[in-house]
Amino acid sequence: MNSIVILGAGNVAFHLTRALIENTVNVRQIFNRTLAHAQEIGEANRIAYTDKISEIEKADLYIIACADSGIEEFSHYIPFDDVLVVHTSGSSPISALKGDYRKGVLYPLQTFTKTKKLRYDEIPFFVEAETPEDTNALKELAFRISNDVYELDYAKRMEIQMCGVWAANFVNHMYKIAGDICAKNNIPFDVLLPLIQETSLKVEEMSPYDAQTGPARRGDDIIIDRHLDLLQNDSRLLQIYQILTDSIKRDYDK
Amino acid sequence: MNSIVILGAGNVAFHLTRALIENTVNVRQIFNRTLAHAQEIGEANRIAYTDKISEIEKADLYIIACADSGIEEFSHYIPFDDVLVVHTSGSSPISALKGDYRKGVLYPLQTFTKTKKLRYDEIPFFVEAETPEDTNALKELAFRISNDVYELDYAKRMEIQMCGVWAANFVNHMYKIAGDICAKNNIPFDVLLPLIQETSLKVEEMSPYDAQTGPARRGDDIIIDRHLDLLQNDSRLLQIYQILTDSIKRDYDK
């Protein structure tokens, strides 16, 4: 890919632009409907930016990095046929792109926040295209950024995206609940951080099945009942605690 | 504390002994009913070990590091009155200790695995004793190991232990479920690791409330419905997905 235009200016666009530029890929321009957001990324990476559809430049590849709900609209903005256009969503099919150009997907599995630095070379990329040539071109591009690149169709991309919900979104919600309990007891959330880090590092060295600890895994109903007592005034947490405990117990036949 | 005897030879005993020795605290002896386990820790740390109750040496402090169900039995083994005896459990009261000696608790909040190295100085310790003198002595000892030491009574210790269930045990179960879904789709679990690490590191810099991402937080019912479709043949996962999604939605009024 000799030249790339990025469409969108959210967290994915921000980090993807930086990751490409850092790896000396030629990102020619960034487009966004809100100029200030395009400008922020453009100036940070010393590339052109615009908010005008008519100013979108010709390039080999267009990367639409926006929310799922915006893919179709963005996909109409590209006025060329002999180009490749991809979106970056785990949960949309190639057919979300509506133009007459060649189409594909470049999906990075990571949680992106503008303010947080990331190691781009460790981010898994999942690519899909309509032809082997475009698939290979996208793979090659992803390998410029990362060591972890896979070809994956829509059905499996949905599955891996859902894995992200379990391993990141739901995990963060567990942190949130633990933090709420700490706060209620005037204990700083920070005391949980070493445990949180250790729990995430453990599965680098052993499977989650082997890494499981705690009263549910041991089938320790005395402790479980004490915890349920503590939660008796919060039906939401009580229900979640019970269901997750039952689920762990089932995994270990307790 | 001029001299310490450890009772028990599980994961907590293993790491606590090492943490004390590394910080030049005088651990005199390790006792366990299964000699081989006491021997393993004893030899690794060049301290005496025994499996005979009659050979338990006199010391200033006895640390009973065993499962909750074993605390009472171990607590009978100590044949001295003018000593301090503590257990290391988050979920047992001081009164689980049955002798006529002075009593207390030294609870480290961490998930311990023998095979994994830990940064001991980051582990939060929660101490409790019957007198200010013993409380201070336990605090002083914990500060030899860690920078993070708190005085905490039984009621709050139970709460913080339950936080550990949420932030570690339930989190690991989320990893397990994500891993199962990966396996079913022939995707290696390793692709989730950068996301898992980033998710845990994010809450070092922002609150879990601010760190939350994903379809539930956005109220993106299109994606949520697609995920529920993927889970329709697994009532257990379907139920968990729904309950956690509803819980996140409620946090953000979606």
Side-chain angles (χ1 to χ4, degrees):
Chain A
M1 297 298 168
N2 289 319
S3 62
I4 295 175
V5 169
I6 309 267
L7 296 92
N11 292 332
V12 175
F14 178 90
H15 283 288
L16 202 52
T17 303
R18 185 193 274 173
L20 289 166
I21 297 278
E22 278 182 7
N23 289 287
T24 66
V25 177
N26 174 21
V27 180
R28 177 167 291 181
Q29 185 188 42
I30 182 148
F31 165 87
N32 195 58
R33 295 303 297 260
T34 305
L35 185 66
H37 297 162
Q39 183 174 3
E40 184 199 354
I41 301 179
E43 288 182 348
N45 295 286
R46 299 184 190 179
I47 52 174
Y49 54 90
T50 182
D51 63 343
K52 296 194 177 49
I53 298 167
S54 61
E55 289 180 358
I56 293 176
E57 288 181 33
K58 182 80 187 279
D60 297 324
L61 174 68
Y62 294 80
I63 301 177
I64 297 176
C66 69
D68 285 70
S69 56
I71 293 173
E72 184 169 335
E73 188 187 331
F74 272 81
S75 81
H76 289 301
Y77 296 165
I78 297 149
F80 309 104
D81 287 350
D82 55 336
V83 297
L84 177 61
V85 178
V86 301
H87 68 66
T88 58
S89 162
S91 44
S92 284
I94 282 186
S95 60
L97 302 164
K98 297 302 183 190
D100 290 327
Y101 36 71
R102 285 143 38 227
K103 304 179 182 81
V105 176
L106 177 72
Y107 171 54
L109 179 68
Q110 183 52 284
T111 173
F112 295 97
T113 313
K114 276 188 190 172
T115 50
K116 259 199 108 287
K117 279 216 168 184
L118 284 171
R119 282 203 54 176
Y120 299 124
D121 60 336
E122 289 178 346
I123 297 175
F125 278 84
F126 299 92
V127 306
E128 187 189 5
E130 297 165 314
T131 66
E133 291 73 27
D134 284 341
T135 304
N136 284 335
L138 288 174
K139 271 187 172 172
E140 225 171 86
L141 180 72
F143 271 123
R144 294 281 290 269
I145 300 174
S146 166
N147 303 311
D148 222 15
V149 179
Y150 303 84
E151 192 183 333
L152 209 70
D153 64 20
Y154 175 50
K156 289 201 170 189
R157 193 166 64 244
M158 285 285 296
E159 297 270 1
I160 195 79
Q161 196 225 22
M162 185 179 61
C163 286
V165 170
W166 292 95
N169 303 157
F170 289 167
V171 160
N172 186 77
H173 191 54
M174 299 296 110
Y175 300 157
K176 162 73 169 47
I177 291 171
D180 287 348
I181 298 167
C182 280
K184 225 182 56 192
N185 290 283
N186 296 314
I187 299 166
F189 177 72
D190 286 8
V191 303
L192 297 176
L193 289 174
L195 183 65
I196 284 172
Q197 299 316 329
E198 177 63 12
T199 301
S200 73
L201 289 171
K202 239 174 156 175
V203 291
E204 302 248 355
E205 295 186 19
M206 60 186 92
S207 73
Y209 184 87
D210 291 332
Q212 189 67 50
T213 57
R217 161 143 201 192
R218 297 192 307 272
D220 188 338
D221 288 321
I222 294 171
I223 307 288
I224 291 167
D225 286 343
R226 283 183 198 161
H227 291 168
L228 293 176
D229 271 350
L230 296 178
L231 297 171
Q232 61 187 341
N233 292 321
D234 191 324
S235 60
R236 163 158 63 150
L237 297 194
L238 195 66
Q239 190 190 23
I240 298 174
Y241 188 100
Q242 252 163 337
I243 284 168
L244 294 181
T245 293
D246 289 347
S247 181
I248 295 170
K249 279 182 166 184
R250 228 192 298 180
D251 278 347
Y252 297 91
D253 282 326
K254 294 290 182 183
Chain B
M1 298 297 169
N2 289 320
S3 61
I4 296 175
V5 170
I6 309 265
L7 295 92
N11 292 333
V12 174
F14 178 91
H15 282 289
L16 203 52
T17 304
R18 186 193 274 173
L20 289 165
I21 297 278
E22 278 182 7
N23 290 286
T24 66
V25 177
N26 174 21
V27 179
R28 177 168 290 179
Q29 185 188 41
I30 182 148
F31 164 87
N32 195 57
R33 296 302 298 259
T34 304
L35 186 65
H37 297 161
Q39 183 174 3
E40 183 199 354
I41 300 178
E43 288 183 349
N45 295 287
R46 298 184 190 179
I47 53 173
Y49 55 89
T50 182
D51 62 344
K52 296 193 176 49
I53 297 167
S54 61
E55 289 180 358
I56 292 176
E57 288 182 34
K58 182 80 186 278
D60 297 324
L61 174 67
Y62 295 79
I63 300 176
I64 298 176
C66 68
D68 284 71
S69 57
I71 293 173
E72 184 169 334
E73 189 188 333
F74 271 83
S75 81
H76 290 299
Y77 295 166
I78 298 150
F80 311 104
D81 288 349
D82 54 338
V83 297
L84 177 60
V85 179
V86 301
H87 68 66
T88 58
S89 163
S91 45
S92 285
I94 282 186
S95 60
L97 301 165
K98 297 302 183 189
D100 290 328
Y101 36 71
R102 286 145 35 229
K103 303 178 181 82
V105 176
L106 178 71
Y107 170 55
L109 179 68
Q110 185 50 283
T111 174
F112 295 98
T113 313
K114 276 188 190 173
T115 49
K116 260 199 106 288
K117 280 215 166 185
L118 284 172
R119 282 203 55 176
Y120 299 125
D121 61 335
E122 290 179 344
I123 298 176
F125 278 84
F126 299 92
V127 306
E128 187 189 6
E130 296 164 314
T131 65
E133 291 73 28
D134 283 340
T135 304
N136 284 335
L138 288 175
K139 271 186 173 173
E140 226 170 86
L141 180 71
F143 272 123
R144 294 281 290 269
I145 298 174
S146 164
N147 303 312
D148 222 16
V149 179
Y150 303 84
E151 193 183 333
L152 209 70
D153 63 18
Y154 175 50
K156 289 202 170 189
R157 194 166 63 244
M158 284 286 296
E159 297 270 3
I160 195 80
Q161 196 224 23
M162 185 180 61
C163 286
V165 171
W166 292 96
N169 303 157
F170 289 168
V171 160
N172 185 76
H173 191 53
M174 298 297 111
Y175 300 158
K176 160 74 169 49
I177 291 171
D180 288 348
I181 298 168
C182 280
K184 225 183 55 190
N185 289 283
N186 296 313
I187 299 166
F189 177 72
D190 285 9
V191 304
L192 298 175
L193 289 174
L195 183 65
I196 284 171
Q197 299 317 328
E198 176 63 13
T199 301
S200 72
L201 289 170
K202 237 174 157 176
V203 291
E204 303 249 354
E205 296 185 19
M206 61 186 91
S207 73
Y209 184 86
D210 291 331
Q212 189 68 50
T213 56
R217 162 145 201 191
R218 297 192 307 271
D220 187 338
D221 289 320
I222 295 172
I223 305 288
I224 290 167
D225 286 343
R226 284 185 199 161
H227 291 168
L228 293 176
D229 271 349
L230 295 178
L231 297 170
Q232 61 187 341
N233 293 320
D234 191 323
S235 60
R236 164 158 64 150
L237 297 194
L238 194 66
Q239 191 190 22
I240 299 173
Y241 189 100
Q242 252 163 339
I243 284 168
L244 295 180
T245 294
D246 289 347
S247 182
I248 295 170
K249 279 182 166 184
R250 228 190 301 178
D251 278 348
Y252 298 91
D253 281 326
K254 295 290 181 183

